[in-house]
Amino acid sequence: MSLSCFDPRFGERMLSVDEALSVLGESLAGVMRTPRSERVALAQAPGRVLAETVISPLDVPAQTNAAMDGIALAQASLPDAESGEPLSDRGELSDHCQLSVIGSSLAGHPWTGRALAAGEAMRITTGAALPAGADTVVMQEQLEYRSTQGEGQGEGLIESDAGERVVIEGVTSIRRGQNVRQAGEDIARGSQVMAPGQWLTPAAVGVLASLGLAEVAVYRPLTVAVFSTGDEVTAPGETLPAGGIYDANRFSLVALLRDQGIEVLDLGILSDDEASVSAALRDAATRADMVITSGGVSVGEADHVRSALAACGELALWRIAMRPGRPLAFGMLRATPAADASSSGQVPFFGLPGNPVATMVTFLQFVLPALRLLSGQQRLAKAEAGASATTLAQWQAPRLQLIAGETLRSRAERIDYHRGQIVLDDQGRQVVMTTGRQGSGILTSMLLAECLIEIPAGCATLHAGEPVMVQWLGSRGIV
Ligand code: AMP
Ligand code: MG
């Protein structure tokens, strides 16, 4: 059965976070369009979402090369210990052998002469191509060079090595192929390296650079309009009137959005007035891919937002069994459809609760997953028990299981997100502690937060020492 986010029953009963996410996911799927793409220089690509399939044009590494400084040789041409030359003064058989050095292969200056023959070796540096006839590298620390001028430890590499001899210690331990990186061992020519939807992390741009790509196709960033609402809400820099409060939410939301590579339309503060709210929303819907407001969705004000939205779209007011952040408005604003097919004519709207912690927590649970979906991101397949690729929940912050470092209390009928810090206890275990007072207006509780501690519905008390799930906020998150 397909769920409609506008089903009136959702306004009456409490929705769990997971239910809300799955209804939200279905609604967004209906307006989902592949974002338009553009080509950018690789240096501009970090933080963007890849819009093309990348097939490797070459082997990486391009040639078989040395992973160590030393000598290259053919392992099969080495004598084993029994037949090794007696080298000690007392004439004992030892684990040594001697080869003649016919030249050098340096990084960036490969050997172009003849192939190595049995009994021969070649000086080689890390990253230099293996000469023909060689399959193995013996590291510098096992070598001693003997030139016609006398003997010496082979530390520094010399320009002309022909005629030198090298003594290798520990011959029997040498394995064929050791200290050698095979051509294509990282990436084989013609293989698929990345798919559209890949978030371009530092590692991803490094891999693209290793293929020699100077530019890539990425999706255009989404544009999101942000408003604060409330007659008491005052812009920082202005004098705070009696009964006023400075506008924290617009700044935390804009920062959260920018962190995701979103282009932000900061549209300021709206007074609690139906006409101005509906005019602003109608305008924002023509300019943005999503509209987010904070405040004005709690009981008492709900009708006001609902009527403002009724004029420009469809709205659902949800009561979600979570704290902080119980009321949440979700809707679709009508927009003038663009000439191309990149717009569905509907712009998702989130009305987040006004309390500053609730604003951030509801953003992380619902808006962030929605943005990741709409921005065209695809998650790399991850084998995880119970993981479902279809729900928006996959885009929430990553979850870790930790140990509660203190007793945590909650109301049993809802999930609580306490702001947490990860510390070592006196037994050296990683435990999670709350960041002090947890009211939904206490934004400083977010300041120290590395994670959100999930105290699940149905659990009123979580005792110190018990396992607990946390949402990690560190990676591409908010700390
Ligand atoms: P509301 O959801 O509008 O009922 O607001 C709930 C609480 O959050 C009230 O105490 C508001 O004053 C406060 N609040 C609303 N918007 C903001 C904002 N942008 N920055 C800081 N506090 C806010
Ligand atoms: Mg308000």
Side-chain angles (χ1 to χ4, degrees):
M1 182 195 75
S2 173
L3 296 166
S4 162
C5 66
F6 301 114
D7 190 321
R9 284 170 303 165
F10 291 148
E12 289 156 24
R13 69 175 179 92
M14 287 273 222
L15 288 178
S16 71
V17 171
D18 286 341
E19 279 178 309
L21 277 170
S22 72
V23 179
L24 197 56
E26 295 213 15
S27 305
L28 293 173
V31 299
M32 181 70 199
R33 295 287 179 276
T34 303
R36 281 182 289 167
S37 62
E38 60 187 352
R39 292 194 77 76
V40 296
L42 200 54
Q44 311 314 313
R48 304 291 297 272
V49 180
L50 188 68
E52 62 183 334
T53 302
V54 176
I55 305 288
S56 181
L58 75 174
D59 279 334
V60 180
Q63 62 269 310
T64 298
N65 68 86
M68 291 268 204
D69 292 338
I71 56 160
L73 48 79
Q75 193 264 351
S77 76
L78 288 171
D80 56 27
E82 274 69 52
S83 58
E85 294 178 43
L87 288 175
S88 76
D89 294 344
R90 283 160 293 168
E92 290 162 357
L93 274 180
S94 65
D95 194 11
H96 291 69
C97 79
Q98 216 178 111
L99 301 175
S100 58
V101 178
I102 67 160
S104 303
S105 179
L106 307 178
H109 303 278
W111 171 254
T112 52
R114 66 175 176 82
L116 289 181
E120 291 180 339
M122 180 162 302
R123 287 206 188 228
I124 196 159
T125 58
T126 304
L130 237 64
D135 58 17
T136 300
V137 169
V138 179
M139 64 179 176
Q140 203 71 358
E141 289 75 359
Q142 279 178 259
L143 308 176
E144 193 180 300
Y145 289 96
R146 298 186 172 177
S147 69
T148 44
Q149 282 81 34
E151 296 180 9
Q153 190 71 32
E155 278 304 315
L157 292 170
I158 54 174
E159 281 298 314
S160 169
D161 307 306
E164 244 192 333
R165 293 186 74 72
V166 63
V167 177
I168 305 173
E169 285 175 33
V171 176
T172 48
S173 68
I174 295 171
R175 298 282 165 262
R176 181 160 183 265
Q178 71 174 35
N179 303 326
V180 171
R181 305 163 177 153
Q182 300 299 330
E185 76 172 22
D186 184 1
I187 302 168
R189 179 200 297 258
S191 61
Q192 179 173 321
V193 184
M194 287 179 208
Q198 162 88 40
W199 174 270
L200 294 176
T201 59
V205 289
V207 169
L208 293 171
S210 77
L211 303 179
L213 300 177
E215 49 178 50
V216 281
V218 293
Y219 292 131
R220 297 256 183 95
L222 297 176
T223 301
V224 174
V226 181
F227 295 100
S228 291
T229 70
D231 288 344
E232 77 284 25
V233 178
T234 307
E238 288 179 12
T239 307
L240 195 65
I245 183 170
Y246 279 124
D247 181 3
N249 294 344
R250 202 157 37 94
F251 291 84
S252 53
L253 286 174
V254 167
L256 283 163
L257 290 163
R258 295 227 165 101
D259 195 44
Q260 295 299 314
I262 303 286
E263 282 184 4
V264 178
L265 285 177
D266 180 347
L267 297 180
I269 304 167
L270 293 172
S271 57
D272 286 319
D273 160 61
E274 186 188 314
S276 62
V277 173
S278 55
L281 293 180
R282 202 174 288 131
D283 172 50
T286 64
R287 297 158 66 191
D289 302 304
M290 182 188 285
V291 179
I292 304 174
T293 64
S294 68
V297 290
S298 43
V299 181
E301 288 176 301
D303 287 344
H304 156 69
V305 173
R306 193 202 303 265
S307 50
L309 264 134
C312 38
E314 205 174 1
L315 176 75
L317 280 162
W318 291 339
R319 292 192 308 140
I320 298 182
M322 66 185 281
R323 194 179 75 162
R326 188 165 60 166
L328 178 79
F330 174 71
M332 291 289 180
L333 303 172
R334 274 189 302 279
T336 323
D340 59 57
S342 68
S343 165
S344 63
Q346 287 195 300
V347 176
F349 164 83
F350 284 94
L352 305 181
N355 275 309
V357 181
T359 303
M360 292 187 80
V361 171
T362 50
F363 178 94
L364 292 168
Q365 304 315 310
F366 303 109
V367 186
L368 185 64
L371 286 169
R372 289 184 172 165
L373 177 80
L374 296 176
S375 66
Q377 286 185 49
Q378 296 284 333
R379 240 186 108 150
L380 290 180
K382 196 165 137 189
E384 205 169 77
S388 157
T390 52
T391 156
L392 270 192
Q394 66 173 322
W395 293 115
Q396 287 181 298
R399 280 189 169 75
L400 311 173
Q401 193 187 56
L402 294 175
I403 297 165
E406 60 187 319
T407 295
L408 302 166
R409 289 182 209 287
S410 156
R411 293 250 212 92
E413 71 273 16
R414 66 190 177 205
I415 184 167
D416 258 47
Y417 297 98
H418 284 209
R419 279 70 74 200
Q421 253 186 334
I422 300 166
V423 294
L424 288 183
D425 71 2
D426 49 13
Q427 297 162 53
R429 298 179 309 176
Q430 271 192 323
V431 300
V432 64
M433 309 286 291
T434 56
T435 58
R437 291 173 55 216
Q438 296 290 307
S440 65
I442 305 205
L443 191 51
T444 50
S445 68
M446 232 24 220
L447 196 57
L448 296 171
E450 295 169 306
C451 61
L452 294 177
I453 308 169
E454 294 182 351
I455 308 173
C459 170
T461 307
L462 204 108
H463 296 282
E466 288 181 349
V468 64
M469 294 304 280
V470 306
Q471 293 184 11
W472 174 244
L473 301 178
S475 106
R476 293 200 277 122
I478 58 169
V479 296

